[in-house]
Amino acid sequence: MTCAEVEELIELYVIGALPQQEGREVASHLDTCPGCRALEEHAREVAQVLWLGVEQIEPSPALRSRVLALVRGRPEPVPLAGSYAPAPSRLRAILGWLTPAQPVRIAAAIAAIPLLLSAWLAFQVMELRSEVQSTETALVSSWNTSQAAADIMGKAMARGGAMASLDGTAMAPEASGMLYYMPAEQEAVLVVRGLPELSRGHVYQCWLMTGERRMNAGTFYRESDGRGMLVVKSPMAIDAVEAVGVTEEPHGGSMEPQGERYMWGRVRRV
Amino acid sequence: MHPGSDADQALVLRVAQADPDALDEIYGRYARSVYGLAYRILGDASAAEDVVQEVFLKLWRQPSSYNPERGSLGSWLLGVGHNRAIDVLRRRRTHQEQPLPEAGEPEIVPDGLVDMADAIGVRQASEAVRRALMHIPPEQRRVIEMAFFEGKTHVEISNELQEPLGTAKTRIRLGMRKLRALLEAEGIVTQLNDVR
């Protein structure tokens, strides 16, 4: 491209009105031409002050708190995958039912019931105890996950940390997300929002992509408000990964991506 | 004209030393502008807040990516915010056609929370930009808004307005040059002679 051609396009270039190829040609010329670079800087001044013509709007106070918490290494509480929030009250309800006084009343009631019904009731009690233990285990697991996520995000927000943004595909145009990580490490936290509800028996699965390789990074469920979170464990340093994606898979996940892709983001430039 | 530039640069130096209070102060100065711009482009409060968060976290993580020799801190923050918001808008448009926010008249909201010295400088510049935009022909203003606030290329603008390919190009170029002349007269941007 000649200087005359660049001079004709420079205003379009600084406000982003050039198609990609034309923009690259102008940028390439500017790399080698100080005279045109000076024109570009001057034209950019006008683009910069255009922003001053826009109404200033106060964002929510919560945003300021969130940003400051992130830079102070204390991530704001993040939503967890799955429905862990109601579980404590369910647990309390179940534990409350299984108080020491209850077994006595249950035994008395069972003695008055035909044998078949007693067996059915005993089976229900066994199922309930198993559910209590599962719920306790799930709660402990959720707590450990949230702690791990907080640690990773805290490090990512500190010096040397990194983030990669994800956008929704046609399957989830409103979705967006962020992968928080330390470049040389193999753990990261994926935080997403705006995901649609999946049909029963399906789960979101995260994939780390390098070349043709698709590495399973874990599955997660969507909260009722469309948010989700996953602690990602990678077989390689995160900054060696090229991209991260989220697909819909059957419950339990898949060995390879099978379902539709809902989100995608680039981790490093190739 | 870079209102508060010395104070801003001192704050950036503190950000580079990992002082969160310095970032908080910068946030207090510029978040309204960055959010206003992102909201103007995206028309969605939640998406605009995400852009604001990314902009200030970028400054926190990579303070060296701001070069004071290339412009004011405010311009840099707004530039990063503009680029990110346009990226989001273009991805949305690629996946699903959505109604875009009305490209209405830009308005200035007097802001009593910014330091008086900064407020005067920013308010004066904002009013000058608004006046300049009103003084260029409406068809030139329209295509500049379509490019700057809607992220459209001159090809997309020509198609949308059903005009010859070169017309949008010419209107953007002439509109921006007219704006520059008006803003130079007000001392908002440097004279071309100072640059060559």
Side-chain angles (χ1 to χ4, degrees), chain B residues 18-37:
Chain B
D19 181 350
D21 293 333
L23 189 81
D24 187 30
E25 201 168 326
I26 293 172
Y27 184 98
R29 285 172 182 240
Y30 295 110
R32 279 176 298 276
S33 298
V34 177
Y35 181 71
L37 177 63

Side-chain angles (χ1 to χ4, degrees), chain A residues 54-75:
Chain A
V54 176
E55 176 186 7
Q56 294 190 9
I57 305 174
E58 184 75 45
S60 69
L63 174 62
R64 187 171 195 158
S65 303
R66 192 161 68 241
V67 170
L68 293 176
L70 286 169
V71 304
R72 288 197 166 105
R74 289 181 293 108

Side-chain angles (χ1 to χ4, degrees), chain A residues 42 45 51 53 60 167 174, chain B residues 21 49 91 98 106 148 154 190:
Chain A
H42 188 71
E45 280 190 324
W51 300 319
S60 69
D167 291 307
E174 299 300 316
Chain B
D21 293 333
E49 288 203 346
R91 282 184 192 276
Q98 283 190 353
F148 193 74
H154 64 87
T190 53

Side-chain angles (χ1 to χ4, degrees), chain A:
Chain A
M1 217 175 240
T2 65
C3 290
E5 287 169 327
V6 168
E7 196 167 337
E8 287 295 297
L9 295 175
I10 203 70
E11 284 86 4
L12 285 84
Y13 176 74
V14 298
I15 63 168
L18 290 181
Q20 215 167 25
Q21 179 57 29
E22 233 177 335
R24 275 199 287 264
E25 288 173 20
V26 169
S28 178
H29 178 94
L30 292 174
D31 281 344
T32 58
C33 180
C36 286
R37 262 205 308 280
L39 283 178
E40 186 241 346
E41 285 176 18
H42 188 71
R44 197 170 288 286
E45 280 190 324
V46 179
Q48 287 171 347
V49 299
L50 277 178
W51 300 319
L52 289 172
V54 176
E55 176 186 7
Q56 294 190 9
I57 305 174
E58 184 75 45
S60 69
L63 174 62
R64 187 171 195 158
S65 303
R66 192 161 68 241
V67 170
L68 293 176
L70 286 169
V71 304
R72 288 197 166 105
R74 289 181 293 108
E76 287 284 273
V78 295
L80 296 177
S83 54
Y84 77 97
S89 58
R90 282 208 301 270
L91 175 62
R92 280 198 293 276
I94 290 165
L95 290 175
W97 189 79
L98 290 176
T99 57
Q102 293 296 334
V104 173
R105 289 201 278 274
I106 291 172
I110 288 174
I113 296 169
L115 187 62
L116 204 56
L117 193 51
S118 300
W120 179 82
L121 280 172
F123 177 74
Q124 293 300 310
V125 167
M126 281 170 53
E127 287 278 288
L128 207 53
R129 284 195 174 128
S130 173
E131 187 181 332
V132 166
Q133 285 169 350
S134 299
T135 304
E136 274 186 305
T137 304
L139 276 175
V140 169
S141 172
S142 289
W143 172 253
N144 290 339
T145 301
S146 67
Q147 288 298 293
D151 286 342
I152 295 169
M153 286 181 73
K155 283 195 282 187
M157 291 302 111
R159 319 303 285 176
M163 302 186 292
S165 62
L166 285 81
D167 291 307
T169 65
M171 295 298 296
E174 299 300 316
S176 64
M178 199 68 75
L179 186 75
Y180 298 89
Y181 63 98
M182 290 295 285
E185 296 190 4
Q186 293 175 244
E187 279 191 325
V189 174
L190 175 68
V191 179
V192 299
R193 66 194 303 173
L195 283 174
E197 192 171 350
L198 298 178
S199 51
R200 287 177 70 86
H202 286 82
V203 68
Y204 283 109
Q205 187 162 359
C206 179
W207 304 91
L208 302 174
M209 292 167 263
T210 298
E212 296 299 316
R213 256 179 100 184
R214 302 289 180 265
M215 297 167 282
N216 171 30
T219 59
F220 64 97
Y221 289 92
R222 164 196 182 270
E223 286 285 303
S224 57
D225 62 357
R227 295 175 186 248
M229 194 211 72
L230 174 70
V231 174
V232 166
K233 295 193 189 294
S234 168
M236 61 179 65
I238 300 291
D239 60 352
V241 171
E242 288 166 8
V244 57
V246 175
T247 62
E248 176 183 0
E249 303 297 338
H251 177 72
S254 303
M255 298 295 291
E256 294 283 335
Q258 305 288 338
E260 296 283 353
R261 190 163 69 184
Y262 281 69
M263 301 187 74
W264 186 86
R266 191 175 293 283
V267 177
R268 72 177 175 92
R269 302 244 171 239
V270 294

Side-chain angles (χ1 to χ4, degrees), chain B:
Chain B
M1 172 178 169
H2 303 309
S5 57
D6 288 343
D8 283 348
Q9 287 187 37
L11 287 170
V12 174
L13 284 171
R14 286 169 55 196
V15 166
Q17 288 156 19
D19 181 350
D21 293 333
L23 189 81
D24 187 30
E25 201 168 326
I26 293 172
Y27 184 98
R29 285 172 182 240
Y30 295 110
R32 279 176 298 276
S33 298
V34 177
Y35 181 71
L37 177 63
Y39 187 80
R40 173 72 167 78
I41 293 171
L42 296 170
D44 175 84
S46 175
E49 288 203 346
D50 286 347
V51 168
V52 172
Q53 178 171 304
E54 287 180 44
V55 167
F56 285 92
L57 289 181
K58 182 181 170 79
L59 177 64
W60 175 253
R61 288 174 38 243
Q62 299 168 331
S64 58
S65 54
Y66 162 61
N67 181 352
E69 293 176 10
R70 296 204 55 146
S72 69
L73 177 62
S75 297
W76 184 84
L77 291 166
L78 287 162
V80 173
H82 179 260
N83 289 342
R84 182 59 189 144
I86 292 294
D87 278 348
V88 172
L89 189 65
R90 283 178 173 160
R91 282 184 192 276
R92 245 193 230 165
R93 208 154 54 209
T94 301
H95 295 142
Q96 179 180 320
E97 287 298 316
Q98 283 190 353
L100 292 170
E102 285 290 317
E105 301 299 333
E107 295 179 30
I108 313 301
V109 175
D111 177 11
L113 296 177
V114 178
D115 288 347
M116 276 309 295
D118 288 353
I120 289 169
V122 168
R123 191 176 302 132
Q124 282 177 340
S126 297
E127 287 167 358
V129 169
R130 187 168 178 251
R131 276 195 301 275
L133 281 165
M134 291 301 109
H135 277 95
I136 66 172
E139 62 274 12
Q140 292 176 3
R141 183 169 64 245
R142 176 66 186 133
V143 295
I144 289 172
E145 286 172 349
M146 289 174 78
F148 193 74
F149 294 109
E150 298 173 26
K152 292 180 176 162
T153 65
H154 64 87
V155 175
E156 290 167 329
I157 293 169
S158 292
N159 290 338
E160 189 168 319
L161 298 179
Q162 295 182 321
E163 287 177 350
L165 201 57
T167 302
K169 241 187 208 179
T170 303
R171 283 180 179 168
I172 290 171
R173 188 172 64 244
L174 292 180
M176 291 288 284
R177 290 183 184 182
K178 200 160 292 178
L179 274 175
R180 184 174 68 191
L182 291 166
L183 294 172
E184 278 177 1
E186 301 238 23
I188 303 301
V189 297
T190 53
Q191 296 280 341
L192 185 58
N193 306 350
D194 298 344
V195 174
R196 285 194 187 283

